[in-house]
Amino acid sequence: MSAVESAVKKIAVLTSGGDSQGMNAAVRAVVRSGLYYGLEVCGIQRGYQGLLNEDIFPMDLRSVGDIIQRGGTILQSARCKEFMTLEGQQKGADILRKHGIDGLIVIGGDGSYQGANKLSKQGINTMGLPGTIDNDISFTDYTIGFDTSVGVVVDAINKLRDTMSSHERVSIVEVMGRHCGDIALHAGLASGAESILVPEVPFDLKEIADRMHHNFACGKRHSIIIVAEGAGRGEDVAEQLHLQYPNLEPRVTVLGHIQRGGTPTPRDRNLASLLGDFAVRKLIEGESDKACGVIKGELVLTDIDKVVNSKKEFDHATYELALRLSQ
Ligand code: F6P
C-alpha cells in the first residue's frame, strides 16, 4: 500500500528509556523510509517528556545524515512520570493530533512499549522498535544495541585477562541486565568466562568458590566470573569468594554505562535499518499497537500487549555450553 492510499500521512519518531547503540540508525531508517513512502516525518526530542512539552520538529533527509555510526540518540531520551498517568497519556495523544500526527514509532524497551500501548488506547497508531542493550524484549531474537554492548564487554574482558593472568587472579565483571542475563551469557560464551551469574539461573557461591579454587589447583592462571546486575553485586560475590578461600583475592570491575556507548556494530545498524523500514511500512498498511522484531531472520509483528506481558525465555542450552567449554 502506498502513502497515497493509506490513512497515515504524517508520522513521528521518539527514543525512550535507556539509550542503546543503533538507535540513531533506527531513527535514520524511520525518517528516510517515511519520506521515501511519501509521508511527512517529525522527530520528538527527549521521549515522552518531549511529547508532553511539544518538543516536536520536522525531519528531512539531511537531518539524519552522518548518524548511522554514532552511539546514543540524536533525539535524546528521558524517563517521564507524567506520562504514566491517564491524564499524561490523553495529553500526549491530543498533542499528536494537534500536530496532525497519525502514527508514532517508539524506539525503546519495555517501559517505552507500555507508553506506546497506552497511546494506542487513546486512538494513536503506534509501532514499537526494540531499542535496549539488555535483549530483554520478547518476540524478537535480538534488540538494537545488544550486539554492540556484548562487544564492549568482551573487549573489556580481553584486557582484564591480560592483567589477571599476570597476577593469577579471579576477575569479577559486573555487567548490565536487570531482569535478563543475555549480556552476561553472550559475553561469557564469547570470552570463555568460567562462571556466569544471571537472574534466570539459581547459583551457589560456595560451589563457585570451590570451582575457582579447583581451577587454580588444576593449573588455570586466572578465572573470569561475569555477574549480571540482576543476579547480584560483583562486590558481594568477591567478598563471599574471599571468605571461603582467603588466598583468592578477586578484583571487581563494574562496566556500567560504558556498555551503552560506542559505535554500533554492523549487526546492530542493519537490525535497526531493517526494523525501522518495517515499522514504517506496517504503519502505512494500517497496523497499530504492534512491536516489530526479528525471529530466526524473519521480520515479525506482535501485539505490544503480548510482548510486554511475556518474559523472554532464557537460553539454558547455550548457558550450559558456555560453562562446559570454559572448564
Ligand atoms: O535498560 C537498560 C539499562 O541499561 C539496564 O541494563 C540498566 O539497569 C539500566 O538501563 C540503567 O539505567 P539508567 O540509565 O537509569 O542508569
Side-chain angles (χ1 to χ4, degrees):
M1 186 190 284
S2 74
V4 182
E5 303 156 52
S6 169
V8 176
K9 305 278 182 222
K10 185 172 179 180
I11 63 169
V13 55
L14 63 78
T15 51
S16 160
D19 67 351
S20 70
Q21 309 92 330
M23 277 185 164
N24 279 327
V27 171
R28 171 180 176 270
V30 167
V31 172
R32 292 202 171 155
S33 285
L35 295 169
Y36 173 80
Y37 297 122
L39 303 176
E40 275 184 74
V41 187
C42 290
I44 299 177
Q45 206 75 21
R46 294 186 195 81
Y48 293 113
Q49 187 60 61
L51 170 60
L52 297 185
N53 294 344
E54 280 195 73
D55 210 343
I56 301 175
F57 59 97
M59 295 187 87
D60 60 20
L61 290 176
R62 296 281 61 81
S63 52
V64 289
D66 199 26
I67 65 167
I68 194 169
Q69 78 284 12
R70 283 167 54 192
T73 159
I74 58 161
L75 294 179
Q76 300 178 285
S77 192
R79 304 194 196 278
C80 177
K81 284 212 175 102
E82 191 186 348
F83 198 74
M84 289 175 182
T85 65
L86 182 62
E87 294 71 38
Q89 292 147 17
Q90 284 166 343
K91 183 175 165 191
D94 287 344
I95 290 172
L96 287 169
R97 273 188 283 270
K98 180 177 143 194
H99 286 257
I101 293 166
D102 28 45
L104 176 69
I105 295 179
V106 172
I107 308 168
D110 195 69
S112 315
Y113 274 20
Q114 291 184 26
N117 178 247
K118 301 286 184 213
L119 271 177
S120 71
K121 292 193 175 17
Q122 298 297 326
I124 302 295
N125 297 308
T126 59
M127 280 287 152
L129 292 187
T132 166
I133 64 166
D134 288 4
N135 209 35
D136 58 349
I137 306 272
S138 303
F139 296 95
T140 187
D141 289 341
Y142 298 106
T143 57
I144 298 163
F146 173 65
D147 188 60
T148 309
S149 70
V150 169
V152 171
V153 175
V154 171
D155 185 49
I157 291 177
N158 291 343
K159 290 172 177 136
L160 285 167
R161 276 198 183 280
D162 293 342
T163 171
M164 294 301 150
S165 91
S166 305
H167 292 271
E168 299 184 280
R169 279 177 176 152
V170 173
S171 179
I172 298 176
V173 185
E174 188 183 308
V175 302
M176 280 189 170
R178 267 179 299 194
H179 311 292
C180 178
D182 275 19
I183 294 179
L185 170 61
H186 287 252
L189 177 64
S191 62
E194 277 74 12
S195 191
I196 304 170
L197 309 189
V198 293
E200 295 91 341
V201 181
F203 54 88
D204 174 2
L205 286 179
K206 160 116 184 35
E207 188 266 321
I208 291 166
D210 289 346
R211 187 139 38 92
M212 295 304 130
H213 180 74
H214 175 77
N215 283 350
F216 281 107
C218 293
K220 277 210 180 209
R221 290 178 59 199
H222 66 277
S223 286
I224 304 283
I225 300 176
I226 305 188
V227 186
E229 63 177 332
R233 287 177 60 244
E235 283 296 347
D236 296 337
V237 175
E239 203 182 300
Q240 288 304 316
L241 256 57
H242 184 62
L243 275 176
Q244 291 288 330
Y245 292 100
N247 60 323
L248 289 181
E249 290 185 354
R251 293 294 191 267
V252 180
T253 305
V254 179
L255 292 178
H257 290 80
I258 293 252
Q259 295 160 92
R260 291 224 304 245
T263 185
T265 59
R267 188 185 278 258
D268 273 330
R269 297 180 201 191
N270 292 346
L271 178 65
S273 302
L274 289 167
L275 290 176
D277 174 70
F278 185 60
V280 173
R281 284 190 282 119
K282 290 296 150 187
L283 267 182
I284 291 173
E285 284 172 25
E287 296 282 359
S288 176
D289 201 15
K290 298 282 193 297
C292 302
V294 64
I295 300 179
K296 295 191 191 334
E298 298 286 322
L299 295 170
V300 291
L301 212 56
T302 311
D303 289 343
I304 289 190
D305 231 5
K306 199 166 159 187
V307 173
V308 295
N309 287 310
S310 51
K311 188 163 164 43
K312 184 153 192 160
E313 257 178 54
F314 187 70
D315 185 351
H316 289 273
T318 301
Y319 182 80
E320 296 303 326
L321 175 70
L323 296 188
R324 179 156 58 76
L325 295 182
S326 70
Q327 278 172 8

